[in-house]
Amino acid sequence: MHRDTHVRVARRRLMKTLGATALAALSLGIIPAAAQAQEWPSGSVQLVVPAKPGGGTDAAARVLAAALSEQTGGDFVVVNTPGGGGAVAAEQVRTAAPDGQQLLFYHTSLIATYHTGGYDQNPLEEFSLLAAMPVGGSYALAVGADAPYETMADLMQAATDNPGKITLGVQIRGSSHFMAGLIEMGNDAKFRVVEAGSDADKLVQLQGGQIQAALINTPGTLQYVENGDLRILATISGQPDRDPNAPDYPSAAELGFENAVYGLDFLVFGPKGMDEGMAEQINAAFGAVLDDPEVSGQLEKMRFPVSHLGLAESRARTVDADKRLGATAKALGLSD
């Protein structure tokens, strides 16, 4: 199918979905009659991403922003706002007008950051959750290509023999910090866990030798492995099995580190108090672009298989994730 024809078909499907969503919500009394005329997007929409350009989250956001622009006819712009483990970008959106023109595009690290005291606003209470999109990818435990560690067992033995000496780069109070704690749980290994910033920052520091190991999203790491700059020792995802998009690398769980299971969802938040009908429209818009084979195929090529959940299911899943992350933070001693 020609690309222009494909876009027109996708846009009609999206508009049909949005219309059906609005009618269903109206019939249930969710949306008052006065809200029927409210349209989204009504202007340029900023997808605020708490990461520097070049990382996996940024790349996924750009794919989705381009698809949303094409399929809705609106203007979607990615705004990179790193800093504070996501807190800076989160505050930008939290304090914005609840009109759907500024949205936070991040992942469950924001909830982890809250539970470890890095951000003092409860994401489930101080924002409008608009979409949860489970990510089928993984994080890689990576080292430099010339590192003396050929396997995860080698690295863990070094961290056992030299407690607190092997530097492991993470984003403090974020998901990679949780993964580091899960790796150490149940064994004698003790790393010197250090703040290494975003995934893009970790890649630079790992290649430069400032850190000896790091937890970085696998898709972003693989290109450096293919170039001969890094080595992946194991992967961590929401399942104990190998990442099907990186099948050559064992999962940490299959290597005997059964606690090292941790998954991520991409999350879309808006300011608190957003109209429920608009929330349904935004959720449906993300669902429509992910249903587009070209968009999903592009994400697959990036090794970021992403699925979509409806609004109610997104909220229920995120509430469950919040409970699990809170309990994990407490068990790992990461809670304040």
Side-chain angles (χ1 to χ4, degrees), residues 175-219:
S175 290
S176 55
H177 194 179
F178 274 60
M179 294 176 197
L182 292 171
I183 288 173
E184 291 181 339
M185 185 181 288
N187 60 78
D188 296 326
K190 184 63 178 177
F191 290 94
R192 182 162 69 90
V193 177
V194 299
E195 171 62 60
S198 68
D199 284 345
D201 294 323
K202 293 173 198 169
L203 287 165
V204 171
Q205 293 180 53
L206 194 55
Q207 293 176 88
Q210 287 89 3
I211 53 179
Q212 293 164 281
L215 286 158
I216 314 172
N217 77 80
T218 302

Side-chain angles (χ1 to χ4, degrees), residues 128-130 274-284 311 315:
S128 297
L129 177 68
L130 305 172
M274 287 184 63
D275 175 78
E276 190 71 5
M278 182 180 291
E280 291 280 4
Q281 290 182 58
I282 293 171
N283 180 278
L311 189 59
R315 290 173 175 170

Side-chain angles (χ1 to χ4, degrees), residues 138-191:
S138 63
Y139 258 59
L141 177 61
V143 298
D146 58 352
Y149 320 111
E150 294 291 336
T151 66
M152 185 175 179
D154 292 341
L155 179 65
M156 299 302 287
Q157 189 61 53
T160 300
D161 296 340
N162 305 279
K165 301 296 184 182
I166 308 298
T167 53
L168 176 60
V170 303
Q171 189 168 51
I172 294 294
R173 300 181 184 275
S175 290
S176 55
H177 194 179
F178 274 60
M179 294 176 197
L182 292 171
I183 288 173
E184 291 181 339
M185 185 181 288
N187 60 78
D188 296 326
K190 184 63 178 177
F191 290 94

Side-chain angles (χ1 to χ4, degrees), residues 109-119 122-124 173 178 321-327 329-330 334-336:
S109 282
L110 183 64
I111 299 174
T113 302
Y114 166 70
H115 280 295
T116 54
Y119 183 49
N122 187 334
L124 271 64
R173 300 181 184 275
F178 274 60
D322 175 71
K323 292 177 181 177
R324 288 187 288 103
L325 288 169
K330 185 174 182 180
L334 298 176
S335 298
D336 282 353

Side-chain angles (χ1 to χ4, degrees), residues 6-253:
H6 179 77
V7 169
R8 287 195 297 272
V9 171
R11 188 175 297 170
R12 286 198 298 270
R13 183 170 66 243
L14 173 60
M15 293 301 105
K16 183 177 179 181
T17 300
L18 296 181
T21 298
L23 286 173
L26 178 63
S27 69
L28 293 172
I30 297 174
I31 309 174
Q36 291 182 70
Q38 192 168 14
E39 295 183 0
W40 181 89
S42 59
S44 180
V45 177
Q46 293 185 345
L47 292 185
V48 183
V49 178
K52 295 179 180 180
T57 302
D58 170 73
R62 292 182 185 278
V63 169
L64 293 173
L68 287 165
S69 294
E70 288 187 342
Q71 294 198 16
T72 69
D75 181 28
F76 289 78
V77 180
V78 172
V79 178
N80 297 96
T81 310
V88 176
E91 280 300 281
Q92 179 177 327
V93 173
R94 188 182 72 84
T95 56
D99 56 8
Q101 302 311 116
Q102 285 199 59
L103 304 177
L104 180 69
F105 183 87
Y106 199 28
H107 43 67
T108 40
S109 282
L110 183 64
I111 299 174
T113 302
Y114 166 70
H115 280 295
T116 54
Y119 183 49
D120 59 5
Q121 303 293 334
N122 187 334
L124 271 64
E125 295 178 358
E126 299 302 322
F127 292 83
S128 297
L129 177 68
L130 305 172
M133 295 168 281
V135 182
S138 63
Y139 258 59
L141 177 61
V143 298
D146 58 352
Y149 320 111
E150 294 291 336
T151 66
M152 185 175 179
D154 292 341
L155 179 65
M156 299 302 287
Q157 189 61 53
T160 300
D161 296 340
N162 305 279
K165 301 296 184 182
I166 308 298
T167 53
L168 176 60
V170 303
Q171 189 168 51
I172 294 294
R173 300 181 184 275
S175 290
S176 55
H177 194 179
F178 274 60
M179 294 176 197
L182 292 171
I183 288 173
E184 291 181 339
M185 185 181 288
N187 60 78
D188 296 326
K190 184 63 178 177
F191 290 94
R192 182 162 69 90
V193 177
V194 299
E195 171 62 60
S198 68
D199 284 345
D201 294 323
K202 293 173 198 169
L203 287 165
V204 171
Q205 293 180 53
L206 194 55
Q207 293 176 88
Q210 287 89 3
I211 53 179
Q212 293 164 281
L215 286 158
I216 314 172
N217 77 80
T218 302
T221 309
L222 281 170
Q223 60 181 308
Y224 293 90
V225 174
E226 292 162 359
N227 291 339
D229 298 318
L230 298 179
R231 183 185 304 138
I232 293 176
L233 303 182
T235 61
I236 299 174
S237 69
Q239 302 295 329
D241 305 321
R242 294 191 179 202
D243 181 349
N245 290 290
D248 294 336
Y249 305 99
S251 71

